[in-house]
Amino acid sequence: MRIDIITVLPELLKSPFEASILKRAIDAGLVEVHFHNLRDYTTNKHKTVDDTQFGGGAGMVMLIEPIDKCITALKEARNYDEVIYMTPDGETLNQGTSNTLSMAKNIIILCGHYKGVDQRVRDLLITKEISIGDYVLSGGELGAAVLCDSIIRLIPGVLGDETSALTDSFQDGLLAPPIYTRPREYKGLKVPEILFTGNFPKIEKWREEQANQRTMDRRPDLLE
Ligand code: ADE
């Protein structure tokens, strides 16, 4: 898989890809991540990427021209499954979207800044708009990092234990059950006895019940 990220602040985005699972996935050649600084696609002397709003109003708007130049150059080199714009008014990211995107070959992610992009960018160039939640970030970069992390960990071979992504919360529409490791007892809190029985069908059943209970208690909306 190849991910091209378009941003005015590449330095804000790079570190999540330089550690842990994402770095391993990149080093193993399972994913390529390329950063494109929008300022490199400007034609004016000051490398301006934004301007004031037509009609008045506070906040700057990102210009269509450098964005179009960058996306067009990328599309000339290969086909893309999606051109995604990170924005608080996009569809809220969920595990289903991450699963689908993890099967893509090439995607572009555009990070917005200031008030956002000229509407014509969205009309002309964007195929999917994603929000990471109902709150406003200063830019799309942190959202893009969240999106990439959730996608990349699902690519086969990225997680050491192939099954572990399948037992994540949300993967089967339920929250994950409680988990324990040593010690068996800590400050009077004991690990449930069932986990020491060695009866794996029974343990599996207990985990399912716990997952159901936890989902009912915390996220009943997931069961609807
Ligand atoms: N940019 C600003 N806020 C955002 C959000 N909540 N999700 C994605 N991109 C954003």
Side-chain angles (χ1 to χ4, degrees):
M1 178 179 205
R2 174 182 169 119
I3 304 177
D4 287 281
I5 305 179
I6 304 170
T7 167
V8 286
L9 281 173
E11 63 277 14
L12 186 59
L13 248 175
K14 285 192 171 157
S15 71
F17 299 92
E18 288 165 359
S20 189
I21 288 171
L22 300 192
K23 179 178 190 320
R24 258 195 285 136
I26 292 166
D27 290 349
L30 297 166
V31 63
E32 271 178 47
V33 182
H34 299 268
F35 301 95
H36 306 278
N37 192 334
L38 211 45
R39 291 191 201 281
D40 296 339
Y41 295 84
T42 53
T43 45
N44 58 79
K45 193 170 90 214
H46 301 291
K47 295 187 182 285
T48 313
V49 292
D50 61 340
D51 208 335
T52 53
Q53 282 192 58
F54 281 139
M60 303 294 271
V61 179
M62 286 171 77
L63 300 164
I64 188 168
E65 198 186 0
I67 296 172
D68 187 22
K69 280 209 167 77
C70 181
I71 292 177
T72 302
L74 289 170
K75 282 182 173 171
E76 274 166 8
R78 66 197 67 76
N79 290 320
Y80 285 89
D81 301 272
E82 297 282 5
V83 182
I84 299 165
Y85 173 49
M86 301 306 301
T87 176
D89 57 4
E91 61 174 272
T92 309
L93 181 63
N94 60 31
Q95 193 64 34
T97 303
S98 297
N99 286 343
T100 305
L101 289 173
S102 74
M103 290 180 267
K105 193 163 184 308
N106 303 309
I107 60 174
I108 292 173
I109 304 176
L110 171 65
C111 304
H113 255 271
Y114 322 110
K115 270 278 173 222
V117 296
D118 187 303
Q119 178 59 36
R120 291 165 294 182
V121 170
R122 303 168 76 161
D123 296 341
L124 200 66
L125 300 166
I126 298 299
T127 62
K128 196 172 186 64
E129 303 189 330
I130 294 181
S131 162
I132 63 158
D134 288 342
Y135 41 82
V136 179
L137 303 167
S138 344
E141 283 76 11
L142 297 179
V146 168
L147 175 63
C148 288
D149 186 296
S150 77
I151 293 171
I152 292 171
R153 62 194 298 287
L154 294 170
I155 298 171
V158 168
L159 293 185
D161 175 357
E162 282 275 357
T163 63
S164 75
L166 297 175
T167 56
D168 286 341
S169 278
F170 300 111
Q171 203 52 263
D172 54 4
L174 295 175
L175 301 183
I179 51 172
Y180 297 90
T181 184
R182 283 179 298 186
R184 241 177 125 130
E185 184 174 340
Y186 188 71
K187 295 188 175 173
L189 287 176
K190 290 183 181 145
V191 175
E193 277 305 316
I194 177 118
L195 298 175
F196 304 109
T197 59
N199 185 335
F200 295 107
K202 246 178 131 174
I203 291 173
E204 208 32 59
K205 188 158 172 284
W206 178 84
R207 285 182 171 148
E208 273 168 35
E209 286 163 6
Q210 293 288 317
N212 270 304
Q213 190 60 51
R214 189 166 266 199
T215 309
M216 223 152 10
D217 293 344
R218 298 180 181 203
R219 292 294 306 277
D221 56 299
L222 294 176
L223 298 169
E224 275 157 21

